[in-house]
C-alpha cells in the first residue's frame, strides 16, 4: 500500500474508534495545515459529514487572514464551529511581553480548559505530529489527561495493536492524536494529492512564508520563495531549517515546550 | 511489494547499552540530523559539562537527559535511498517495560542491541523474549561499544554466540549479527576499517534487507465490524480489512453469529462503488439484505470463517501493577470485540528474563512475568490462533482504565455440545513458526475435532508432511477417518517421545478435491 494511503487509513481507523467509544468529542482546529488535514480526514472517515464540533481557540492575536480562511472553510464544509476565547485573560491584557510561557498557558491552554469544563467534552482530537518536537515524539495516540488537565508523561499507559485506552474516569479527558505518524512532508504531499485548500499565509509573499501558523507576535515567517504547494514540497525535501523555527515559544527556554505541554498545551 | 513501503524498526536491549545513541548516530551518518537539532544537543551537553550525546536526539525530556536514561518510547523518521523508515526507540530499564512493548508492538523488525563489553544482560533476554511473543521474526543483532574492547574479534564472537543461543531458545534466528560502535559510527552506515575481520552488512544494509509485515499474503478475509453508520436510508458497516480482500458481490458470513449476507457495495468517501478492498484499508460495506450485526462480528468468506470461540489458551505478558489472578474476571479486547472472561487456568508461570518455568498450575501472574493461560469467555467471539492469522490472534487484557497485559492466541476451543471441544485447523499456512509442520495434542485430553482446508490437502500433495503428537486413542481414530476421507497416507508410531502420527499424501491433488470445502471431521 502506498505510504500516504497507509497513513490515511491509520488516521481513519483512529477517528472511527474514538467516535465509537466517546459521546462528547470535539476537534481542535488551529486553522493550520495539520489540523486542516485532520479535518479532511474526519470528513473521509465519516463519509463527508463530521459528527462533532470543531473548536478554534482564538487568542485574539491571530492573523486576519486566518480568521477569513476559517470562516470561509467552515461554511463551505458545513462544520459546527465553536470559537473559544479566554475573555478574562484577554481583558486583563495577557500578552507575550509579560512572558511567553504565561501567555501561551493562559490564552491557549486555559482557553481550552474553560471550554472543556463548560461543554463537558470527553475527547479532543488534535493534529500534533511526532516529528514536530521531542515531547510530541513520545505521545500515545489516545493520551489521558487528569482532572487538572495534566499530562503524566513519566507514566503513560501501554498502547498496542490498535487497542486504545478508552475507558476513563469521569473527571478526566483524553487527547486523541490521529496524525502522530505523519511528517511535515507527508502532510504537504497529502494536501497536494487531495487538493486540500490551505490558508494563503503558507505561500511565499515578498520572499517569505509561514511554515507553521500561530499568534502574530510570536510567530515569524521564514525566508522562502515557495509560492505553490509543489514548491513547498521541493523546499522541504532539501531544507535544514526545522518546522517550528519561527515559533518563539519553542526557543525561549530549555524544555519550555515540554512544560507547556505537561500542563495541557496541545 | 514496492520498495517504497515504510518499514518500522524498534531498537531493543538492556539499559545503557546504547540504543538511543545508535539512533542519533544513524541520523547523523545518513545526513538526517537537522543542523539545528545538532546545535541544540551540543549546547545542552556543553551546559551539562559532558561530551556530545547522540542519545539526546531521542531523549528529549528533561528528566531523561538529567538521568541519561530513556523513559518512554519515541518514534522518529528517516529515509534511505531504498525507502522511508520509522525508528522506534525503546527504553531499556526494567521499570519501563510497558513502554518498550508499546514501541515494539508497532514494529515490523527489530535491532537487538548488546553491549560488547558487558555482554547479554537481564533486559537483553527479556526484550528478546518480548520480541518473540509479539511475533517479530525479523531481527538483527548489533554488538555495540566495540571501541571499549579494542574491536577484538574474539570478544565479538563470544557475545555473538551467547546471544544467538538465547535467541534460538525463543524461536528467533537473527538475520545478521553486526559489530558496531554507535558512538563512533563503525558499521552503522559505512563499513569500518577497524573491523577488517568482518565482511557482513552494515547495520543500515541489514535494515534494508527486511520487509514490511502489515499485509500477509495468502490469508483469508477478516473484516471486523468497527461501527455501524445509519443514514440516507442505509446501514453502512465500517471497518478495516485486517487480512485478505473484500469484494463487492461476494457471499460472506459473520462470526460468531453465523449470519450470511451478500456484499452489495464497498465504499469510501466519494467512492461509493469500489470493486474490492485489501488488507489495511478502512471502508464501509453495505449488504443486499437488511441485517443487524454488532461491532465485534467478523466478516469472512463462506468456508473460511473464524471459529466462534468460547475458550482461549494464550501466551501472555503481564504489565499490571496488581497480579493477574486465577478465577478473576477480566475484559479481553481482540480486534474489535470486547468480551468478559474468567481466567480459568494458569498452566505455567515463566520468568521473562530466564525463560524458566517458575510454577505450574499457579494462581497468579506477577508484573513482568509471562504465562501460559486459559481464559473462558462469557460469550463467544470470532478469533484465530496467532499462527493462522496474527491480526485476529492477539488480544489485550484491560484492568480498570488501562491495558495491563497482552497475549497471543495459541489454541481456541469452540462451543459445541459435550463440553469445550478443541478444534484443530489444518491449513496451508501452518509452518509460519520455527517448529514447522508439527501439531502437539499430547496435553489435549478432551474432545478434539479437525477442520481441514483445501490448501492443506494441496500442500500435502506437494510432498509436505505433518506430524501430530497424540494424547488419546480417540484422536488416533479421528485422524484415521480424516486420512480416509481425504485420501491421505498415515503412519503411527509409539516411541519414547510419545505417540505420533505422520500424515502425507502420495501424488498431487486434483482441482476438484481442493475445492470441496471445509468438512469437519
Ligand atoms: N564507548 C561507547 N559508549 C557508548 C556507545 N554507545 C553508547 N555509548 C554510551 O553509553 C551510554 C548509554 O547510551 P544510551 O544510548 O543512552 O543507552 P540506551 O540503551 O538508550 O539506554 P536506555 O534507553 O536508558 O535503556 C551513553 O553515555 C553513551 O554515550 C559506544 O559505541 N561506545
Ligand atoms: Mg535510550
Amino acid at each position: 500500500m502506498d505510504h500516504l494511503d497507509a497513513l490515511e487509513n491509520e488516521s481513519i481507523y483512529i477517528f472511527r474508534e474514538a467516535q465509537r467509544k466517546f459521546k462528547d468529542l470535539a476537534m481542535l482546529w488551529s486553522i493550520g495545515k495539520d489540523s486542516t488535514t485532520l479535518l479532511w480526514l474526519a470528513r473521509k472517515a465519516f463519509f463527508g459529514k463530521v459528527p462533532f464540533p470543531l473548536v478554534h481557540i482564538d487568542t485574539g492575536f491571530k492573523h486576519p487572514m486566518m480568521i477569513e480562511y476559517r470562516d470561509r472553510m467552515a461554511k463551505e464544509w458545513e462544520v459546527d464551529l465553536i470559537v473559544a476565547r479566554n475573555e478574562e485573560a484577554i481583558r486583563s491584557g495577557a500578552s507575550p511581553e509579560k512572558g511567553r510561557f504565561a501567555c501561551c498557558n493562559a490564552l491557549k491552554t486555559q482557553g481550552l480548559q474553560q471550554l472543556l469544563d463548560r461543554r463537558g467534552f470527553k475527547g479532543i482530537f488534535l493534529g500534533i505530529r511526532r516529528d514536530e518536537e521531542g515531547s510530541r515524539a513520545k505521545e500515545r495516540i489516545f493520551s489521558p489527561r487528569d482532572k487538572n488537565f495534566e499530562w503524566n508523561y513519566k507514566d503513560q499507559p501501554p498502547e498496542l495493536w490498535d487497542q486504545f485506552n478508552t475507558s476513563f474516569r469521569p473527571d478526566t479527558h483524553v487527547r486523541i492524536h490521529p496524525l502522530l505518524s505523519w511528517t511535515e512532508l507527508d502532510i504537504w504531499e497529502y494536501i497536494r494529492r487531495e487538493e486540500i485548500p490551505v490558508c494563503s499565509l503558507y505561500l511565499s509573499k515578498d520572499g517569505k512564508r509561514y511554515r507553521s501558523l500561530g499568534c502574530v507576535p510570536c510567530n515569524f515567517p521564514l525566508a522562502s520563495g515557495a509560492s505553490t504547494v509543489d514548491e513547498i514540497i521541493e523546499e522541504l525535501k532539501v531544507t535544514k531549517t526545522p518546522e517550528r523555527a519561527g515559533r518563539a515559544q519553542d526557543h525561549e527556554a530549555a524544555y519550555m515546550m515540554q512544560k507547556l505541554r505537561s500542563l495541557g498545551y496541545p | 511489494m514496492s520498495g517504497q513501503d515504510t518499514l518500522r524498526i524498534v531498537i531493543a536491549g538492556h539499559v545503557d547499552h546504547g540504543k538511543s545513541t545508535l539512533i542519533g548516530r544513524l541520523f547523523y551518518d545518513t545526513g538526517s540530523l537537522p543542523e539545528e537539532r545538532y546545535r541544540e544537543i551540543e549546547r545542552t551537553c556543553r551546559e551539562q559539562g559532558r561530551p556530545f550525546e547522540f542519545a539526546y536526539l531521542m531523549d528529549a525530556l528533561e528528566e531523561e537527559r538529567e538521568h541519561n536514561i530513556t523513559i518512554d518510547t519515541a518514534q522518529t523518521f528517516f529515509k534511505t535511498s531504498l525507502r522511508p523508515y520509522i525508528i522506534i526507540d525503546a527504553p531499556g530499564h526494567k521499570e519501563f517495560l510497558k513502554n518498550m512493548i508499546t514501541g515494539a508492538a508497532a514494529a515490523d523488525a527489530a535491532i537487538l542491541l548488546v553491549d560488547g563489553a558487558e555482554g547479554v544482560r537481564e533486559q537483553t533476554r527479556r526484550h528478546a523474549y518480548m520480541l518473540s511473543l509479539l511475533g517479530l521474526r525479523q531481527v538483527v543483532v548489533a554488538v555495540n561499544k566495540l571501541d571499549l574492547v579494542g574491536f577484538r574479534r574474539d570478544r565479538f564472537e563470544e557475545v555473538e554466540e551467547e546471544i544467538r543461543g538465547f535467541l534460538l531458545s525463543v524461536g528467533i534466528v537473527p538475520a545478521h549479527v553486526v559489530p558496531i560502535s554507535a558512538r563512533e559510527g563503525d558499521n552503522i552506515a559505512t563499513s569500518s576499517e577497524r573491523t577488517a575481520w568482518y565482511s557482513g552488512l552494515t547495520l543500515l544494509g541489514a535494515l534494508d534487507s527486511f520487509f514490511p509485515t502489515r499485509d500477509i499474503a495468502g490469508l483469508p478475509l477478516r473484516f471486523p465490524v468497527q461501527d455501524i453508520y445509519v443514514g440516507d436510508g442505509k446501514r453502512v458497516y465500517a471497518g478495516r480489512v485486517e487480512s485478505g480482500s473484500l469484494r463487492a458481490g461476494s457471499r460472506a458470513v459473520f462470526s460468531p453469529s453465523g449470519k450470511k449476507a451478500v456484499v452489495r457495495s464497498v465504499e469510501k468517501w466519494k467512492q461509493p462503488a469500489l470493486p474490492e478492498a485489501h488488507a489495511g484499508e478502512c471502508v464501509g460495506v453495505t449488504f443486499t439484505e437488511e441485517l443487524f450485526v454488532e461491532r465485534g462480528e467478523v466478516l469472512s468468506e463462506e468456508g473460511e470463517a473464524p471459529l466462534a470461540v468460547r475458550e482461549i489458551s494464550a501466551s501472555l505478558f503481564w504489565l499490571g501493577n496488581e497480579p493477574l489472578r486465577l478465577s478473576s474476571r477480566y475484559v479481553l479486547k481482540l480486534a474489535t470485540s470486547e468480551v468478559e472472561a474468567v481466567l480459568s487456568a494458569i498452566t505455567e508461570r515463566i520468568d521473562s528474563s530466564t525463560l524458566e518455568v517458575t510454577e505450574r498450575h499457579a494462581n497468579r501472574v506477577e508484573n513482568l512475568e509471562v504465562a501460559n493461560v486459559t481464559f473462558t469467555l462469557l460469550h463467544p467471539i470470532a478469533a484465530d490462533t496467532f499462527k493462522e492469522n496474527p491480526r485476529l490472534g492477539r488480544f489485550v487484557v484491560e484492568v480498570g482504565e488501562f491495558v495491563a497485559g497482552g497475549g497471543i492466541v495459541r489454541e481456541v476451543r469452540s462451543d459445541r455440545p459435550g463440553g469445550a471441544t478443541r478444534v484443530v485447523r489444518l491449513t496451508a499456512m501452518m509452518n509460519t513458526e520455527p517448529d514447522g509442520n508439527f501439531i502437539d495434542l499430547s496435553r489435549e485430553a478432551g474432545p478434539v475435532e479437525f477442520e481441514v482446508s483445501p490448501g492443506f490437502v494441496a500442500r500435502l500433495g506437494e510432498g509436505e508432511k505433518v506430524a501430530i503428537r497424540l494424547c488419546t486413542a480417540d484422536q488416533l481414530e479421528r485422524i484415521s477417518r480424516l486420512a480416509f476421507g481425504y485420501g491421505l497416507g498415515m503412519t503411527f508410531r509409539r516411541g519414547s517421545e510419545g505417540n505420533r502420527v505422520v500424515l502425507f499424501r502420495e501424488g498431487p491433488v486434483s482441482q476438484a478435491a481442493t475445492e470441496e470445502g471445509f468438512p469437519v471431521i
Side-chain angles (χ1 to χ4, degrees):
Chain A
M1 184 187 292
D2 161 81
H3 178 63
L4 292 179
D5 286 332
L7 289 169
E8 177 187 88
N9 280 297
E10 182 184 320
S11 302
I12 289 175
Y13 191 81
I14 295 164
F15 266 119
R16 289 179 176 169
E17 209 55 16
Q19 173 67 16
R20 172 71 191 210
K21 297 286 182 163
F22 294 96
K23 272 209 263 339
D24 301 298
L25 287 167
M27 185 176 128
L28 277 200
W29 187 24
S30 73
I31 323 302
K33 63 185 189 315
D34 301 317
S35 56
T36 303
T37 300
L38 191 65
L39 172 53
W40 185 265
L41 288 162
R43 298 174 78 212
K44 280 212 173 186
F46 305 111
F47 300 92
K49 176 123 193 51
V50 182
F52 37 75
L54 267 66
V55 174
H56 181 222
I57 307 290
D58 186 0
T59 59
F61 288 114
K62 298 294 174 190
H63 199 290
M65 280 168 81
M66 289 169 67
I67 305 298
E68 181 276 325
Y69 168 85
R70 176 192 79 191
D71 293 340
R72 184 160 48 86
M73 295 325 298
K75 205 167 150 215
E76 188 180 324
W77 289 345
E78 297 174 357
V79 295
D80 174 8
L81 176 68
I82 302 171
V83 176
R85 290 157 65 98
N86 183 351
E87 292 294 354
E88 204 186 305
I90 292 174
R91 253 198 317 278
S92 66
S95 83
E97 286 118 62
K98 298 181 186 165
R100 288 211 167 91
F101 187 93
C103 183
C104 273
N105 200 40
L107 294 182
K108 282 185 92 165
T109 311
Q110 285 171 24
L112 175 60
Q113 186 164 14
Q114 287 165 1
L115 179 80
L116 292 199
D117 290 347
R118 205 163 60 237
R119 296 284 301 258
F121 292 125
K122 289 290 161 218
I124 304 288
F125 294 104
L126 292 169
I128 63 164
R129 308 189 328 267
R130 289 200 178 99
D131 78 331
E132 284 182 85
E133 52 82 44
S135 74
R136 288 181 174 95
K138 298 193 181 268
E139 272 284 6
R140 298 287 191 263
I141 295 170
F142 280 62
S143 177
R145 303 301 150 122
D146 68 11
K147 61 177 185 298
N148 301 321
F149 222 58
E150 286 178 16
W151 178 38
N152 188 359
Y153 57 84
K154 281 180 277 184
D155 188 17
Q156 300 195 73
E159 179 172 83
L160 59 153
W161 299 330
D162 291 344
Q163 299 293 358
F164 305 115
N165 293 295
T166 51
S167 37
F168 296 105
R169 289 209 310 273
D171 55 355
T172 60
H173 79 278
V174 60
R175 301 279 176 91
I176 305 155
H177 303 133
L179 292 185
L180 271 191
S181 305
W182 296 59
T183 65
E184 185 185 15
L185 186 59
D186 295 331
I187 293 284
W188 281 111
E189 288 182 334
Y190 190 71
I191 286 172
R192 173 166 71 182
R193 182 180 98 172
E194 302 284 311
E195 300 176 357
I196 306 171
V198 291
C199 181
S200 52
L201 291 171
Y202 283 113
L203 307 176
S204 172
K205 226 181 122 214
D206 306 327
K208 284 182 172 180
R209 72 176 195 91
Y210 285 89
R211 254 178 88 184
S212 163
L213 298 186
C215 296
V216 171
C218 294
N219 187 28
F220 309 100
L222 304 174
S224 161
S227 60
T228 63
V229 173
D230 280 328
E231 285 168 12
I232 290 175
I233 290 169
E234 287 318 304
E235 176 187 286
L236 289 178
K237 285 182 176 164
V238 295
T239 187
K240 293 275 176 215
T241 313
E243 177 179 8
R244 295 179 68 92
R247 295 274 213 154
Q249 68 269 42
D250 287 41
H251 312 290
E252 178 142 308
Y255 312 112
M256 172 133 152
M257 192 40 70
Q258 173 186 341
K259 282 171 189 150
L260 273 171
R261 297 198 67 252
S262 76
L263 295 174
Y265 183 91
Chain B
M1 196 170 301
S2 92
Q4 291 308 305
D5 288 348
T6 305
L7 193 80
R8 296 162 187 258
I9 305 271
V10 65
I11 323 260
H14 195 76
V15 66
D16 264 356
H17 280 197
K19 300 177 290 296
S20 305
T21 306
L22 171 64
I23 298 176
R25 189 76 213 198
L26 207 52
F27 269 62
Y28 184 74
D29 288 0
T30 53
S32 322
L33 185 60
E35 181 117 9
E36 190 120 342
R37 283 305 277 281
Y38 185 87
R39 272 193 259 111
E40 180 263 329
I41 295 170
E42 205 175 29
R43 195 168 52 241
T44 311
C45 290
R46 199 176 327 113
E47 280 162 17
Q48 291 181 332
R50 65 162 74 143
F52 189 87
E53 275 291 1
F54 281 107
Y56 284 8
L57 174 66
M58 303 309 290
D59 295 343
L61 301 177
E62 186 172 9
E63 292 78 358
E64 294 181 318
R65 290 180 173 187
E66 208 171 288
H67 303 291
N68 212 4
I69 190 172
T70 304
I71 293 175
D72 211 330
T73 180
Q75 298 191 9
T76 183
F77 309 83
F78 92 118
K79 275 196 168 102
T80 65
S81 54
L82 183 73
R83 63 172 159 225
Y85 281 95
I86 293 175
I87 305 287
I88 306 166
D89 190 21
H93 197 285
K94 188 172 172 177
E95 194 185 324
F96 308 130
L97 186 73
K98 64 181 171 42
N99 300 337
M100 178 272 171
I101 286 178
T102 298
D108 299 301
I111 299 175
L112 182 65
L113 203 71
V114 193
D115 183 324
E118 271 194 23
V120 172
R121 298 286 302 273
E122 182 181 336
Q123 304 325 308
T124 320
R125 292 189 296 263
R126 180 169 281 124
H127 284 190
Y129 191 22
M130 292 302 151
L131 296 177
S132 135
L133 282 178
L134 293 169
L136 273 141
R137 288 292 177 274
Q138 305 187 93
V139 175
V140 55
V141 172
V143 179
N144 189 31
K145 301 197 191 182
L146 285 182
D147 54 301
L148 295 181
V149 296
F151 293 94
R152 265 175 32 229
R153 180 180 191 165
D154 59 337
R155 177 59 193 156
F156 166 74
E157 285 173 349
E158 232 168 70
V159 176
E160 173 178 13
E161 193 184 320
E162 190 183 4
I163 188 66
R164 275 190 189 274
F166 187 81
L167 283 173
L168 197 62
S169 65
V170 296
I172 294 175
V173 177
H176 306 274
V177 180
V178 187
I180 66 164
S181 164
R183 184 140 87 187
E184 301 182 3
D186 299 82
N187 295 328
I188 308 294
T190 52
S191 294
S192 167
E193 286 170 10
R194 298 196 284 186
T195 53
W197 42 265
Y198 174 75
S199 58
L201 293 176
T202 61
L203 199 59
L204 206 58
L207 296 187
D208 278 348
S209 72
F210 290 145
F211 298 100
T213 52
R214 174 64 185 78
D215 182 10
I216 307 165
L219 293 183
L221 169 66
R222 294 289 182 261
F223 179 79
V225 174
Q226 187 179 14
D227 208 347
I228 299 111
Y229 303 135
V230 185
D232 299 338
K234 62 178 183 181
R235 293 172 74 82
V236 176
Y237 292 82
R240 178 171 62 194
V241 180
E242 294 295 345
S243 62
S245 44
L246 174 58
R247 273 177 287 277
S250 62
R251 302 182 58 79
V253 57
F254 283 101
S255 305
S257 68
K259 286 182 184 162
K260 292 186 178 168
V262 175
V263 176
R264 181 167 62 191
S265 66
V266 178
E267 310 183 3
K268 289 184 181 176
W269 183 41
K270 293 185 174 168
Q271 293 171 284
L274 295 166
E276 58 184 359
H278 302 283
E281 284 189 87
C282 289
V283 293
V285 182
T286 65
F287 298 94
T288 52
E289 282 161 66
E290 265 314 281
L291 36 83
F292 296 91
V293 298
E294 301 286 325
R295 174 184 161 102
E297 291 269 336
V298 176
L299 192 73
S300 62
E301 281 181 26
E302 270 185 76
E304 294 187 324
L307 283 182
V309 170
R310 217 31 201 269
E311 199 172 273
I312 286 177
S313 294
S315 299
L316 167 143
F317 47 85
W318 191 242
L319 306 169
N321 297 324
E322 293 293 315
L324 178 78
R325 289 178 200 285
L326 188 69
S327 310
S328 292
R329 266 197 200 193
Y330 294 93
V331 173
L332 306 192
K333 290 177 162 182
L334 185 152
T336 60
S337 51
E338 239 176 277
V339 62
E340 273 198 78
V342 174
L343 183 64
S344 45
I346 303 172
T347 328
E348 287 167 325
R349 236 175 108 184
I350 299 164
D351 180 318
S352 59
S353 154
T354 61
L355 305 187
E356 191 189 332
V357 175
T358 52
E359 192 181 2
R360 288 180 208 278
H361 308 292
N363 55 26
R364 66 181 205 288
V365 181
E366 300 282 354
N367 183 243
L368 299 186
E369 289 182 334
V370 168
N372 291 321
V373 300
T374 301
F375 285 102
T376 303
L377 314 186
L378 300 196
H379 65 80
I381 63 166
D384 289 311
T385 63
F386 189 81
K387 224 173 176 175
E388 286 173 326
N389 192 331
R391 310 293 301 186
L392 254 80
R394 60 196 191 187
F395 63 91
V396 299
V397 183
E398 225 176 49
V399 174
E401 299 173 75
F402 299 133
V403 169
I408 65 173
V409 179
R410 299 296 192 191
E411 293 164 9
V412 288
R413 290 179 192 80
S414 74
D415 211 11
R416 302 249 161 102
T421 301
R422 163 89 192 275
V423 179
V424 180
R425 311 190 86 201
L426 301 171
T427 68
M429 290 296 293
M430 291 207 328
N431 58 347
T432 55
E433 296 231 334
D435 49 2
N437 297 336
F438 178 68
I439 298 162
D440 189 0
L441 301 178
S442 62
R443 282 182 297 179
E444 203 62 55
V448 174
E449 283 178 4
F450 293 93
E451 264 189 41
V452 180
S453 84
F456 172 74
V457 182
R459 196 67 177 259
L460 295 193
E462 288 158 17
E464 298 245 356
K465 291 181 178 181
V466 171
I468 305 171
R469 188 182 283 170
L470 304 178
C471 177
T472 65
D474 175 61
Q475 293 169 348
L476 183 61
E477 187 189 320
R478 280 181 181 273
I479 292 170
S480 34
R481 277 202 268 147
L482 181 156
F484 190 85
Y486 285 90
L488 304 177
M490 61 181 268
T491 56
F492 171 70
R493 191 184 302 144
R494 242 189 126 99
S496 55
E497 78 285 30
N499 299 315
R500 283 167 70 113
V501 167
V502 175
L503 281 176
F504 55 91
R505 187 179 166 103
E506 282 163 351
V509 186
S510 72
Q511 192 58 25
T514 62
E515 283 166 6
E516 270 166 21
F518 282 74
V520 174
I521 298 217

